[in-house]
Structures are given as C-alpha cells and as structure tokens.
Amino acid sequence: MTAPTSATDVNQPSLQPAAPTGRRISLPVLLLIIAGALALTSIVRLITGANGITNVSQMSTALQLAVPIGLAGLGGLWAERAGVVNIGLEGMLILGTWFGAWAGFQWGPWTGVLMGIVGGALGGLLHAIVTITFNVNHIVSGVAINILALGATRYLAPLAFEGHQGGSAKQSPPVESLGHFTVPGLSSALESLNDQHWFFVSDIAGLLGGLVTDVSWLTLIAVALIPASWYILWRTPFGLRLRSCGENPIAAESLGVNVYKYKYLAVIISGGLAGLGGVFLSIVANPFYLEGQTSGRGYIGLAAMIFGNWMPGGLAIGAGLFGYTDSLNLRGGSANVHALLLLGALLLVAGAIWLAIRKKYVKAAITVVVGALVFAWYATTDDVPNQVVSATPYVVTLVVLALSAQRLRMPRANGMPYRKGQGK
C-alpha cells in the first residue's frame, strides 16, 4: 500500500479502518428485532400476569442502573478503538465514586461531577503511561489499576470522611442531589397507558415512561454521550485518526498521525467517562460514597462494549439489557425472573428455528433441548430462589457474550504493543 503524497492527509482511503467481518445489522432490521423482542415480552406478561416486567417504575430503575454500566463501556470503547485494552475500568469507576463524593459533599454536586471525571481520568493517565510509554501488558496494567484504586480509596476514605457528620471509614457524608426532572403531561399519560396492561402498547408506554419520569440531569448527559461519541469517532477527522491507531498504527504513523498522542487522549477520555459513571453511583444512585458500591459494573460495562461489537449503539443496547436484569433485584425480583424464564424458553425456541433455517441442525437441536429445560423449570415452579435473582445480571452477561461471540470483530491492533518508528 503506497502512502499518499501528503504525510498529514489522513483522509485517504488507506487510513480507513478495515470493515468488520460478517454481516452488519442495519438500523431497520435492528429496530424490527427490538420490536419483536418487546412483543414477545408482552405475550409473556399477558400469560404470566407479571405486569411488573414492563411497568414505568421497572424501566426507570433499569435506566438508572444502566447508566454507570454504559459509561464504563463507553470508556472502554474509546480506549479500545485506539488500540488499548482497558481492563482497569472497574478501578476508574471506583476512583470516580470516591473523588465525586469527596468533592461533592464539600463544594456541591456539580463540583463532585467534575472531580469524579478528573479522578477517573487520572486512572486513565496512569494506564496510558504504563501501557503506551512502557509497553506493559494491557491486562496486567488494568488489573493492577483495579487493585490500586481499591486500596487507595480504602486508605483515603477514613482520612477524608471520618469526623464529618454522616461520614465513616467506609462511607462519605451525604452529597446534595443534582436534581431530577419529569416531562409534565407526557409522563402521566404514559403511566396511565401502561396501567391499562394492553398488549404491546402498554409495554411501549412503560419503556418510554421510564425515559421521561424522575430522570437525573446526569442521566440526560450520559445518554447524550452515546450519539456524541459516535459522531466524534465516525464522522470527524479526529475520530478517523484515533480509530486508525487501533487498526493499523504503523500505517497511521506513515501518514503523519502522532499515534502516541491519540492513544493517550483516548485512554484519558476513557478514564474520564468511567469516572463519570462512578460519580453517578455516588451522587445519583446513592447520595454518598460507599465502599464496594461499584459491584463489578466496570467489568459488566466491558461486557456491554463487547456485546455491542465496539459500537456505541450496540453498547447502549447491551447496557440497557444488563441494567434491566439488574433492576429485577430491586422490584419484585423473584416473580419477574420466574416470568422471564418463559421468555427465555421462547427466545431459545426462536433461536433454534433460525439455526435450523441456516442448516445448523446440531446447534438447533442443542438450543431446543436447553429451551425445553428452561420451560420445564418455569412450568414446575412458582418462583425462583433469591440467589438466582441476585445472579441474573451476571448469568445474562455470560450468556449474551457466548451467543454474540461469533459476530464480533475488535479493532485489529487492539492490545498490541506499539513503538514509534517500528514500521521503518
């Protein structure tokens, strides 16, 4: 491949990242799949009488739980699109929770938001120095940051919070709320429609009602970051240069791209986004820092990013799915999870039919057997143990990743060491 005449012209075709292998799902097809899944959920709701699986409160809680997962996953997307694996998202979330609460209870919640972003960005900077400058294995560095963040916050929490009203060695004093909003008229109309329990229409009303009822301003910012990231990474010269560093850094360097700079920027932004997710946990989800409150959401965010095939839209769907399953713990968990066993059985049967159409008969047979076992579980029980309810988000994470693994393509140079001038 011959380099363009101008070393700084990064709009040449040679710099374009390679297209993903396999067939990409178009937007109309994706919307049709989502509508089909929602219709199937509505059928299950009518059969089981578990109206709570799509009510406004359930969807509002799911959105709140999806935000930190989505922000962590978005942070991972920025880093990995530049070729840096960021296993340290959990640690950056932890730094965001601590810094956000520490600054928030002293100087106000919006100062806490800014400091939480800074805290996560500092974790990202450390990861960038270790992996980009010193070429340490990305996984090793990420795990070390997770351990370091946990240890650092455990050390700092008693120093910062003890002696203040409401504070302790493991908890910060309360932080003032950022405020919430509800769209007047629309929220109540959707809630009334959801209460009618009609087929499909009430389920859509519940989904939309959760998006306009008692929503935090930080939630609005987090949702806006999804299309903003897509636009920046796929529709600007800056995004093209950054993604080229994750696909072929040697080719990018030959065209005049400062690969180190773009990798550093991507990983620092990654840490800042994860830090913002931590702020959400310590200011919005709970009005205080609490040791262990991230509960592995950084790892689930990474799973959402992989499920979304390193694309913001797919990531958002993954985060919503994991947030929804997590919300089952809080609102009628046992009854709702039991109803979803029937949904799982129906989805498995649909998957078996699809595999049979594609002439993958062995996989189709296995899927049918699993679906039959799930249906037998549903038919022979009236509820599920609380332990199953608590484990549901993590089980769904594993199942979704296993089912989506064959269609994934990460950036080609993701996790690979790079040295300036190595292509010469």
Side-chain angles (χ1 to χ4, degrees):
M1 181 173 62
T2 305
T5 305
S6 174
T8 59
D9 186 4
V10 295
N11 294 312
Q12 297 294 329
S14 57
L15 193 59
Q16 290 285 355
T21 57
R23 182 179 297 176
R24 178 178 293 181
I25 299 175
S26 64
L27 181 60
V29 173
L30 179 61
L31 293 176
L32 188 62
I33 292 172
I34 294 173
L38 191 59
L40 201 58
T41 304
S42 184
I43 292 172
V44 169
R45 177 181 60 79
L46 292 173
I47 293 173
T48 62
N51 295 316
I53 61 176
T54 57
N55 66 20
V56 172
S57 298
Q58 184 78 53
M59 295 303 180
S60 180
T61 303
L63 176 63
Q64 186 180 66
L65 293 171
V67 167
I69 294 172
L71 286 171
L74 195 61
L77 184 146
W78 272 82
E80 299 205 11
R81 278 295 175 179
V84 179
V85 176
N86 192 356
I87 298 293
L89 291 169
E90 178 74 7
M92 295 167 199
L93 269 177
I94 293 171
L95 291 173
T97 61
W98 191 90
F99 275 90
W102 169 70
F105 89 87
Q106 297 183 88
W107 303 301
W110 287 108
T111 304
V113 171
L114 295 176
M115 288 303 298
I117 294 172
V118 170
L122 289 174
L125 176 61
L126 178 60
H127 187 51
I129 292 171
V130 172
T131 57
I132 300 169
T133 301
F134 295 103
N135 266 337
V136 173
N137 181 277
H138 298 190
I139 306 298
V140 172
S141 173
V143 172
I145 286 174
N146 291 338
I147 297 171
L148 180 63
L150 182 60
T153 52
R154 280 182 176 176
Y155 172 76
L156 292 172
L159 300 177
F161 303 141
E162 282 187 337
H164 295 277
Q165 185 176 3
S168 69
K170 295 185 177 182
Q171 179 178 315
S172 73
V175 181
E176 184 183 346
S177 173
L178 287 168
H180 296 73
F181 72 91
T182 296
V183 179
L186 180 60
S187 175
S188 57
L190 289 171
E191 189 167 2
S192 298
L193 191 58
N194 178 245
D195 289 339
Q196 300 300 317
H197 306 312
W198 294 333
F199 170 72
F200 195 65
V201 175
S202 292
D203 302 284
I204 293 178
L207 177 61
L208 296 177
L211 301 177
V212 297
T213 303
D214 200 26
V215 180
S216 166
W217 292 106
L218 196 55
T219 301
L220 190 63
I221 294 171
V223 171
L225 285 172
I226 298 292
S229 293
W230 174 83
Y231 181 82
I232 293 170
L233 290 174
W234 274 269
R235 288 294 182 269
T236 66
F238 171 82
L240 174 60
R241 295 185 183 100
L242 188 147
R243 288 186 295 118
S244 71
C245 296
E247 295 288 345
N248 193 334
I250 297 174
E253 180 189 339
S254 72
L255 296 173
V257 175
N258 188 334
V259 176
Y260 280 169
K261 182 183 78 172
Y262 281 93
K263 283 180 177 286
Y264 261 89
L265 285 173
V267 180
I268 292 171
I269 291 171
S270 171
L273 289 168
L276 184 61
V279 169
F280 189 92
L281 289 172
S282 63
I283 294 183
V284 178
N286 297 296
F288 48 79
Y289 162 83
L290 184 64
E291 185 178 305
Q293 69 189 137
T294 56
S295 300
R297 286 181 175 85
Y299 300 111
I300 299 179
L302 197 64
M305 177 203 69
I306 296 171
F307 166 79
N309 206 10
W310 288 265
M311 296 291 291
L315 181 156
I317 294 173
L321 174 63
F322 300 138
Y324 177 77
T325 55
D326 201 10
S327 70
L328 297 175
N329 287 320
L330 303 179
R331 294 187 176 276
S334 180
N336 290 341
V337 171
H338 184 258
L340 292 178
L341 289 176
L342 178 58
L343 176 62
L346 294 175
L347 288 173
L348 286 167
V349 170
I353 294 172
W354 172 248
L355 289 170
I357 291 172
R358 300 181 66 186
K359 298 182 179 181
K360 297 181 179 180
Y361 299 115
V362 175
K363 292 182 179 179
I366 294 173
T367 305
V368 166
V369 170
V370 175
L373 291 174
V374 173
F375 179 77
W377 185 5
Y378 165 78
T380 57
T381 59
D382 294 324
D383 57 9
V384 295
N386 290 330
Q387 294 86 343
V388 175
V389 178
S390 300
T392 297
Y394 308 102
V395 172
V396 169
T397 300
L398 293 174
V399 171
V400 166
L401 287 179
L403 294 177
S404 62
Q406 294 183 349
R407 67 174 182 82
L408 301 178
R409 191 197 76 83
M410 67 179 180
R412 293 188 185 278
N414 195 20
M416 296 175 60
Y418 164 79
R419 284 291 186 190
K420 186 176 182 180
Q422 70 182 49
K424 296 181 180 179

mmCIF file of all heavy atoms in Angstrom, residues 338-362:
data_model
loop_
_atom_site.group_PDB
_atom_site.id
_atom_site.type_symbol
_atom_site.label_atom_id
_atom_site.label_comp_id
_atom_site.label_asym_id
_atom_site.label_seq_id
_atom_site.Cartn_x
_atom_site.Cartn_y
_atom_site.Cartn_z
ATOM 1 N N HIS A 338 -39.051 -15.297 37.388
ATOM 2 C CA HIS A 338 -39.780 -16.518 37.048
ATOM 3 C C HIS A 338 -40.539 -16.335 35.738
ATOM 4 O O HIS A 338 -40.569 -17.238 34.887
ATOM 5 C CB HIS A 338 -40.749 -16.890 38.174
ATOM 6 C CG HIS A 338 -41.459 -18.175 37.949
ATOM 7 N ND1 HIS A 338 -42.768 -18.245 37.502
ATOM 8 C CD2 HIS A 338 -41.043 -19.468 38.076
ATOM 9 C CE1 HIS A 338 -43.124 -19.506 37.376
ATOM 10 N NE2 HIS A 338 -42.111 -20.279 37.720
ATOM 11 N N ALA A 339 -41.161 -15.187 35.537
ATOM 12 C CA ALA A 339 -41.865 -14.923 34.281
ATOM 13 C C ALA A 339 -40.895 -14.885 33.111
ATOM 14 O O ALA A 339 -41.206 -15.352 32.003
ATOM 15 C CB ALA A 339 -42.627 -13.603 34.387
ATOM 16 N N LEU A 340 -39.710 -14.355 33.357
ATOM 17 C CA LEU A 340 -38.727 -14.251 32.280
ATOM 18 C C LEU A 340 -38.140 -15.602 31.895
ATOM 19 O O LEU A 340 -37.516 -15.716 30.832
ATOM 20 C CB LEU A 340 -37.612 -13.284 32.681
ATOM 21 C CG LEU A 340 -38.033 -11.810 32.787
ATOM 22 C CD1 LEU A 340 -36.866 -10.953 33.225
ATOM 23 C CD2 LEU A 340 -38.589 -11.307 31.455
ATOM 24 N N LEU A 341 -38.326 -16.622 32.736
ATOM 25 C CA LEU A 341 -37.930 -17.974 32.329
ATOM 26 C C LEU A 341 -38.715 -18.400 31.094
ATOM 27 O O LEU A 341 -38.174 -19.023 30.176
ATOM 28 C CB LEU A 341 -38.160 -18.964 33.472
ATOM 29 C CG LEU A 341 -37.224 -18.878 34.675
ATOM 30 C CD1 LEU A 341 -37.669 -19.869 35.746
ATOM 31 C CD2 LEU A 341 -35.785 -19.155 34.264
ATOM 32 N N LEU A 342 -40.008 -18.059 31.077
ATOM 33 C CA LEU A 342 -40.832 -18.378 29.910
ATOM 34 C C LEU A 342 -40.341 -17.603 28.688
ATOM 35 O O LEU A 342 -40.266 -18.151 27.579
ATOM 36 C CB LEU A 342 -42.296 -18.047 30.203
ATOM 37 C CG LEU A 342 -43.283 -18.275 29.048
ATOM 38 C CD1 LEU A 342 -43.248 -19.732 28.589
ATOM 39 C CD2 LEU A 342 -44.696 -17.872 29.467
ATOM 40 N N LEU A 343 -39.993 -16.332 28.897
ATOM 41 C CA LEU A 343 -39.445 -15.538 27.798
ATOM 42 C C LEU A 343 -38.161 -16.159 27.268
ATOM 43 O O LEU A 343 -37.960 -16.255 26.050
ATOM 44 C CB LEU A 343 -39.193 -14.106 28.272
ATOM 45 C CG LEU A 343 -38.535 -13.165 27.254
ATOM 46 C CD1 LEU A 343 -39.416 -12.994 26.027
ATOM 47 C CD2 LEU A 343 -38.235 -11.809 27.891
ATOM 48 N N GLY A 344 -37.298 -16.596 28.180
ATOM 49 C CA GLY A 344 -36.057 -17.231 27.764
ATOM 50 C C GLY A 344 -36.303 -18.494 26.956
ATOM 51 O O GLY A 344 -35.635 -18.743 25.939
ATOM 52 N N ALA A 345 -37.292 -19.293 27.377
ATOM 53 C CA ALA A 345 -37.613 -20.515 26.646
ATOM 54 C C ALA A 345 -38.109 -20.196 25.233
ATOM 55 O O ALA A 345 -37.715 -20.850 24.254
ATOM 56 C CB ALA A 345 -38.670 -21.312 27.409
ATOM 57 N N LEU A 346 -38.961 -19.181 25.117
ATOM 58 C CA LEU A 346 -39.470 -18.795 23.798
ATOM 59 C C LEU A 346 -38.364 -18.264 22.899
ATOM 60 O O LEU A 346 -38.323 -18.560 21.695
ATOM 61 C CB LEU A 346 -40.573 -17.744 23.959
ATOM 62 C CG LEU A 346 -41.863 -18.220 24.648
ATOM 63 C CD1 LEU A 346 -42.816 -17.058 24.855
ATOM 64 C CD2 LEU A 346 -42.528 -19.323 23.824
ATOM 65 N N LEU A 347 -37.454 -17.477 23.475
ATOM 66 C CA LEU A 347 -36.330 -16.957 22.688
ATOM 67 C C LEU A 347 -35.425 -18.088 22.213
ATOM 68 O O LEU A 347 -34.907 -18.057 21.090
ATOM 69 C CB LEU A 347 -35.544 -15.948 23.518
ATOM 70 C CG LEU A 347 -36.220 -14.599 23.775
ATOM 71 C CD1 LEU A 347 -35.401 -13.763 24.747
ATOM 72 C CD2 LEU A 347 -36.421 -13.836 22.464
ATOM 73 N N LEU A 348 -35.220 -19.072 23.061
ATOM 74 C CA LEU A 348 -34.389 -20.215 22.665
ATOM 75 C C LEU A 348 -35.043 -21.003 21.528
ATOM 76 O O LEU A 348 -34.366 -21.455 20.595
ATOM 77 C CB LEU A 348 -34.139 -21.114 23.873
ATOM 78 C CG LEU A 348 -33.138 -20.576 24.908
ATOM 79 C CD1 LEU A 348 -33.199 -21.387 26.194
ATOM 80 C CD2 LEU A 348 -31.721 -20.590 24.332
ATOM 81 N N VAL A 349 -36.357 -21.174 21.592
ATOM 82 C CA VAL A 349 -37.061 -21.855 20.502
ATOM 83 C C VAL A 349 -36.929 -21.059 19.206
ATOM 84 O O VAL A 349 -36.680 -21.625 18.124
ATOM 85 C CB VAL A 349 -38.542 -22.069 20.873
ATOM 86 C CG1 VAL A 349 -39.332 -22.560 19.660
ATOM 87 C CG2 VAL A 349 -38.665 -23.062 22.021
ATOM 88 N N ALA A 350 -37.098 -19.730 19.300
ATOM 89 C CA ALA A 350 -36.939 -18.880 18.109
ATOM 90 C C ALA A 350 -35.523 -18.999 17.555
ATOM 91 O O ALA A 350 -35.320 -19.067 16.337
ATOM 92 C CB ALA A 350 -37.269 -17.430 18.467
ATOM 93 N N GLY A 351 -34.532 -19.030 18.465
ATOM 94 C CA GLY A 351 -33.151 -19.191 18.024
ATOM 95 C C GLY A 351 -32.909 -20.533 17.358
ATOM 96 O O GLY A 351 -32.176 -20.630 16.365
ATOM 97 N N ALA A 352 -33.541 -21.575 17.878
ATOM 98 C CA ALA A 352 -33.404 -22.903 17.270
ATOM 99 C C ALA A 352 -33.988 -22.931 15.859
ATOM 100 O O ALA A 352 -33.409 -23.534 14.942
ATOM 101 C CB ALA A 352 -34.084 -23.942 18.155
ATOM 102 N N ILE A 353 -35.131 -22.273 15.684
ATOM 103 C CA ILE A 353 -35.743 -22.210 14.348
ATOM 104 C C ILE A 353 -34.809 -21.480 13.380
ATOM 105 O O ILE A 353 -34.610 -21.914 12.235
ATOM 106 C CB ILE A 353 -37.112 -21.513 14.428
ATOM 107 C CG1 ILE A 353 -38.095 -22.378 15.239
ATOM 108 C CG2 ILE A 353 -37.669 -21.242 13.030
ATOM 109 C CD1 ILE A 353 -39.414 -21.685 15.545
ATOM 110 N N TRP A 354 -34.212 -20.392 13.841
ATOM 111 C CA TRP A 354 -33.287 -19.625 12.990
ATOM 112 C C TRP A 354 -32.068 -20.466 12.613
ATOM 113 O O TRP A 354 -31.627 -20.470 11.461
ATOM 114 C CB TRP A 354 -32.874 -18.352 13.716
ATOM 115 C CG TRP A 354 -31.784 -17.577 13.031
ATOM 116 C CD1 TRP A 354 -30.506 -17.387 13.451
ATOM 117 C CD2 TRP A 354 -31.892 -16.874 11.791
ATOM 118 N NE1 TRP A 354 -29.813 -16.623 12.567
ATOM 119 C CE2 TRP A 354 -30.632 -16.294 11.524
ATOM 120 C CE3 TRP A 354 -32.925 -16.685 10.864
ATOM 121 C CZ2 TRP A 354 -30.375 -15.530 10.390
ATOM 122 C CZ3 TRP A 354 -32.676 -15.930 9.726
ATOM 123 C CH2 TRP A 354 -31.419 -15.363 9.499
ATOM 124 N N LEU A 355 -31.535 -21.219 13.571
ATOM 125 C CA LEU A 355 -30.390 -22.081 13.289
ATOM 126 C C LEU A 355 -30.762 -23.196 12.319
ATOM 127 O O LEU A 355 -29.969 -23.564 11.439
ATOM 128 C CB LEU A 355 -29.854 -22.675 14.599
ATOM 129 C CG LEU A 355 -29.144 -21.697 15.547
ATOM 130 C CD1 LEU A 355 -28.890 -22.354 16.897
ATOM 131 C CD2 LEU A 355 -27.834 -21.215 14.933
ATOM 132 N N ALA A 356 -31.969 -23.728 12.470
ATOM 133 C CA ALA A 356 -32.413 -24.787 11.554
ATOM 134 C C ALA A 356 -32.568 -24.255 10.129
ATOM 135 O O ALA A 356 -32.213 -24.930 9.160
ATOM 136 C CB ALA A 356 -33.732 -25.376 12.044
ATOM 137 N N ILE A 357 -33.090 -23.029 9.998
ATOM 138 C CA ILE A 357 -33.217 -22.409 8.676
ATOM 139 C C ILE A 357 -31.850 -22.263 8.027
ATOM 140 O O ILE A 357 -31.688 -22.447 6.812
ATOM 141 C CB ILE A 357 -33.928 -21.048 8.791
ATOM 142 C CG1 ILE A 357 -35.394 -21.245 9.178
ATOM 143 C CG2 ILE A 357 -33.838 -20.269 7.481
ATOM 144 C CD1 ILE A 357 -36.130 -19.955 9.497
ATOM 145 N N ARG A 358 -30.838 -21.976 8.848
ATOM 146 C CA ARG A 358 -29.470 -21.823 8.335
ATOM 147 C C ARG A 358 -28.743 -23.170 8.249
ATOM 148 O O ARG A 358 -27.545 -23.211 8.023
ATOM 149 C CB ARG A 358 -28.700 -20.864 9.233
ATOM 150 C CG ARG A 358 -29.321 -19.469 9.312
ATOM 151 C CD ARG A 358 -28.522 -18.545 10.178
ATOM 152 N NE ARG A 358 -27.217 -18.265 9.600
ATOM 153 C CZ ARG A 358 -26.267 -17.563 10.214
ATOM 154 N NH1 ARG A 358 -26.490 -17.101 11.444
ATOM 155 N NH2 ARG A 358 -25.119 -17.341 9.631
ATOM 156 N N LYS A 359 -29.487 -24.258 8.444
ATOM 157 C CA LYS A 359 -28.980 -25.625 8.304
ATOM 158 C C LYS A 359 -27.895 -25.979 9.316
ATOM 159 O O LYS A 359 -27.024 -26.805 9.043
ATOM 160 C CB LYS A 359 -28.476 -25.857 6.878
ATOM 161 C CG LYS A 359 -29.565 -25.703 5.814
ATOM 162 C CD LYS A 359 -29.049 -25.984 4.423
ATOM 163 C CE LYS A 359 -30.174 -25.850 3.391
ATOM 164 N NZ LYS A 359 -29.707 -26.136 2.014
ATOM 165 N N LYS A 360 -27.971 -25.362 10.494
ATOM 166 C CA LYS A 360 -27.065 -25.714 11.580
ATOM 167 C C LYS A 360 -27.856 -26.598 12.550
ATOM 168 O O LYS A 360 -28.264 -26.176 13.635
ATOM 169 C CB LYS A 360 -26.547 -24.457 12.273
ATOM 170 C CG LYS A 360 -25.710 -23.570 11.346
ATOM 171 C CD LYS A 360 -25.183 -22.337 12.070
ATOM 172 C CE LYS A 360 -24.323 -21.480 11.142
ATOM 173 N NZ LYS A 360 -23.792 -20.266 11.828
ATOM 174 N N TYR A 361 -28.061 -27.833 12.132
ATOM 175 C CA TYR A 361 -29.020 -28.695 12.803
ATOM 176 C C TYR A 361 -28.556 -29.133 14.195
ATOM 177 O O TYR A 361 -29.368 -29.275 15.106
ATOM 178 C CB TYR A 361 -29.307 -29.916 11.928
ATOM 179 C CG TYR A 361 -29.899 -29.540 10.583
ATOM 180 C CD1 TYR A 361 -29.194 -29.797 9.415
ATOM 181 C CD2 TYR A 361 -31.136 -28.915 10.498
ATOM 182 C CE1 TYR A 361 -29.728 -29.438 8.175
ATOM 183 C CE2 TYR A 361 -31.675 -28.555 9.266
ATOM 184 C CZ TYR A 361 -30.961 -28.822 8.114
ATOM 185 O OH TYR A 361 -31.490 -28.463 6.895
ATOM 186 N N VAL A 362 -27.281 -29.370 14.372
ATOM 187 C CA VAL A 362 -26.775 -29.790 15.682
ATOM 188 C C VAL A 362 -26.971 -28.679 16.706
ATOM 189 O O VAL A 362 -27.483 -28.902 17.816
ATOM 190 C CB VAL A 362 -25.290 -30.191 15.588
ATOM 191 C CG1 VAL A 362 -24.740 -30.507 16.982
ATOM 192 C CG2 VAL A 362 -25.117 -31.390 14.665
#
